[in-house]
Amino acid sequence: MMNNRRQNVIDTAHKLFIDKGYQATSIQDILDGSGISKGTFYNYFPSKGELFIAIFRSFYTKIRHDREKLLIGQDSADIDIFIQQLELQLMVNKQSKLLILIEEVRVSNDEELKQFINSTLLLSLRWMYNRFIDIFGESKKPYLLDSVIIFHSMMTHMNHFSYRANPAGTPDIQIIRYCMNRIVRLVNEVAESGEQIIDPELMDTWFPNFTNHLDPCHNDLLQSTTELKKAINKALPCDENRTRAIELIDFIQDELMQSDKPRKFLIESLLLTLKTGYASQVQAYIETFEESINSCLSR
C-alpha cells in the first residue's frame, strides 16, 4: 500500500511538472493532486527536488531493464541491437517528456538538481562507453570515450535541428543509424592515427563528485552488475535460468540504489540464490558483485 501511494505521488507530480513546469508546481499542488497530507509527502520525499529525482529514477529503471532485455540471447557486439536500445531510450524520454524537465532544471537555481542531472549524463555516457567496448573491442578502448562524447553530441544536435527542419520529426532509428555509421568510421580513423583527447580512466574520477545522489559504491555496483550480466549471457543458454539470473541481479541492484533503507535480509537471500544456482559458471564475477554489494550495505 505504501509503495502504491508513493508511486501515485510520483505519477501525479510528473504530470503536474509537465503541465505547469517544475518551478511553477508547488508542493500544495502535488498534495491536492495526489490526495495526501503534507506529513505523508515528507515521509516519502524530503523535498520537491528529491521527488523530481524519484521521477527520473523510475523512468531510468524502466529504460535500463528494457535495454537489458534486448541483449538477452543476442551478440553484444551487434550494432543493430545497440541501435534498438537507443531507440527504446529515446522513445521513453519523449513519451515521458523527461528531456523537457531536464532543460528546465538546467536553467534553474537548484544546484543540487543540476548536479544530479550532470551525474545522470555521465551515467549515460558510461553505459554507451561500455557498449562501444562490446561493439568495437578492447583494442580500441583508449579512443572510445572521445567517440562516445562525439556520438552523444551528434545525436543530440541532429534530433534538435531535424525537429526544427521538420516538426513532424525524423524517425529516431534513422537518426541513430545515421550517427552510428559516421562513428564507425571515426573510431577506425582515430584508432589508426592514435589520437586521443580524453583518457577513459578519467571517468572513475568523475563519479565520486556526485555523492549526494550517486554514492561511490554505486559506481562499483553498476560496473560489477554489467560485467556479471555479460558473463551470464555468455555462460548460460537463452532460457528461463538465464532470465531468472538477470532478474535477481536487477532486483538486488534496484534495492541498493533506489531504496533509502535497502533490505539487507532480502538482498542476502537473493544473493545466496544467485551463488547457489549460478556460481559454478560465473563464480569470479559473482564474487566481485558480492564485494560491491557489501560495500553499499556498509556505507
Side-chain angles (χ1 to χ4, degrees), residues 179-290:
C179 295
M180 197 65 202
N181 287 340
R182 310 286 83 75
I183 287 297
V184 169
R185 293 189 178 187
L186 176 77
V187 169
N188 291 328
E189 288 175 3
V190 295
E192 184 176 344
S193 67
E195 295 176 273
Q196 182 194 67
I197 300 297
I198 304 175
D199 187 338
E201 291 186 4
L202 283 173
M203 281 194 295
D204 293 330
T205 70
W206 293 344
F207 279 84
N209 294 327
F210 303 105
T211 52
N212 286 334
H213 301 298
L214 183 66
D215 192 283
C217 77
H218 288 166
N219 185 28
D220 294 334
L221 180 66
L222 288 169
Q223 186 67 29
S224 64
T225 299
T226 299
E227 295 303 320
L228 177 55
K229 286 181 179 179
K230 287 180 184 178
I232 285 176
N233 282 330
K234 290 181 180 179
L236 299 181
C238 184
D239 58 16
E240 292 183 2
N241 285 332
R242 181 199 282 180
T243 302
R244 176 58 176 161
I246 297 296
E247 288 176 349
L248 287 172
I249 296 166
D250 282 339
F251 192 98
I252 292 171
Q253 180 177 320
D254 287 345
E255 184 69 16
L256 285 164
M257 295 190 66
Q258 305 296 334
S259 174
D260 294 331
K261 296 180 179 180
R263 292 168 288 183
K264 185 177 180 180
F265 72 94
L266 180 58
I267 292 171
E268 290 176 344
S269 175
L270 296 177
L271 182 60
L272 179 61
T273 301
L274 196 64
K275 290 165 66 177
T276 303
Y278 311 100
S280 60
Q281 296 99 322
V282 290
Q283 181 175 358
Y285 295 96
I286 290 181
E287 289 175 356
T288 302
F289 183 53
E290 183 175 15

Side-chain angles (χ1 to χ4, degrees), residues 83 86-87 90 155 172-180:
I83 289 173
L86 287 177
E87 183 186 23
L90 287 177
M155 281 206 307
D172 289 337
I173 196 167
Q174 183 177 335
I175 291 177
I176 297 168
R177 194 175 296 279
Y178 175 88
C179 295
M180 197 65 202

Side-chain angles (χ1 to χ4, degrees), residues 24-81:
T25 299
S26 67
I27 290 180
Q28 189 60 52
D29 291 332
I30 299 169
L31 299 181
D32 294 340
S34 56
I36 63 170
S37 68
K38 185 175 290 187
T40 301
F41 175 88
Y42 285 112
N43 186 47
Y44 294 151
F45 311 101
S47 65
K48 189 172 74 167
E50 289 292 337
L51 176 53
F52 176 92
I53 291 169
I55 292 171
F56 195 95
R57 282 177 171 162
S58 68
F59 282 105
Y60 178 78
T61 298
K62 173 178 171 51
I63 289 171
R64 180 167 52 77
H65 285 175
D66 290 347
R67 282 189 322 212
E68 293 294 339
K69 286 181 182 177
L70 288 173
L71 266 179
I72 294 176
Q74 303 295 328
D75 181 2
S76 60
D78 187 340
I79 289 179
D80 283 334
I81 300 299

